[in-house]
Amino acid sequence: MNKKVVIAGSPNNQQEIDTWLAYFKDQHDVVLDYPNYRAEFWIEHFSGQPLDDPHFARLRNYKKEIPAMYQEHYHHLENADLFLLLNHPQKGYQGYISPVDYADLKYLIVQNLLYNKKTKLYLLYAPSKALNYYSELNYWLSMGWVEYYPNHPSLG
């Protein structure tokens, strides 16, 4: 069965993101959202806009469009069968999970609990114990609501 996938995490390593995109494509899955997806949305829809005053014109456009971007992102989360968080070490944390990615995980857990959805939630690495929300993340792992994604050959 083809899965609908959302990949989350830092957009810093585009090569790894491309590897994951190819991996899921090879599995005949559909990636609904991934790091840099929203940046691509921004470029596609706003790159032709004149920015006479780059500080204000761009901000005005962004403020007008951010609700649609959030709606699109959360629709992708609601429609996903699989959520993979690329929680690499960064910012001095091992297994870093940003507040935005934590919110996405929490949203999906609530969707699974309230609406009996079956979205599989995966992390690549154990969350850092230094994160303010580590206890809750650890609880989710202990309950089986979040799991570690099994390694696959193409990522070594």
Side-chain angles (χ1 to χ4, degrees):
M1 179 169 108
N2 299 23
K3 295 180 292 300
K4 292 177 276 182
V5 178
V6 170
I7 302 170
S10 171
N12 292 340
N13 187 341
Q14 190 60 49
Q15 184 177 2
E16 181 190 22
I17 292 165
D18 291 343
T19 301
W20 281 105
L21 291 171
Y23 169 77
F24 286 115
K25 183 179 178 182
D26 289 347
Q27 303 296 315
H28 304 287
D29 297 329
V30 176
V31 178
L32 301 173
D33 202 348
Y34 56 92
N36 282 342
Y37 178 84
R38 282 172 293 288
E40 290 174 7
F41 175 94
W42 177 266
I43 290 165
E44 179 183 335
H45 291 89
F46 303 110
S47 62
Q49 301 246 346
L51 298 178
D52 296 336
D53 183 346
H55 297 291
F56 298 108
R58 191 172 201 168
L59 181 60
R60 263 194 314 277
N61 289 334
Y62 185 74
K63 283 184 176 181
K64 283 193 299 190
E65 295 304 321
I66 194 69
M69 291 169 68
Y70 275 128
Q71 288 172 338
E72 182 179 37
H73 176 66
Y74 279 90
H75 283 301
H76 290 155
L77 291 177
E78 288 175 353
N79 289 308
D81 302 308
L82 187 151
F83 176 85
L84 173 62
L85 176 53
L86 308 177
N87 64 318
H88 293 287
Q90 62 177 303
K91 299 187 180 189
Y93 295 94
Q94 293 297 319
Y96 179 69
I97 297 175
S98 74
V100 171
D101 292 327
Y102 169 75
D104 285 351
L105 276 170
K106 193 168 200 167
Y107 180 79
L108 289 165
I109 287 169
V110 169
Q111 292 284 310
N112 284 347
L113 293 172
L114 286 179
Y115 304 113
N116 201 30
K117 295 190 71 119
K118 305 289 186 210
T119 307
K120 298 293 289 179
L121 310 176
Y122 293 105
L123 304 176
L124 278 187
Y125 301 103
S128 173
K129 292 181 180 180
L131 293 168
N132 290 338
Y133 30 86
Y134 171 77
S135 296
E136 191 165 18
L137 290 163
N138 194 49
Y139 175 72
W140 296 344
L141 286 159
S142 72
M143 292 296 291
W145 298 345
V146 177
E147 302 173 39
Y148 296 112
Y149 197 81
N151 290 334
H152 57 81
S154 67
L155 293 177

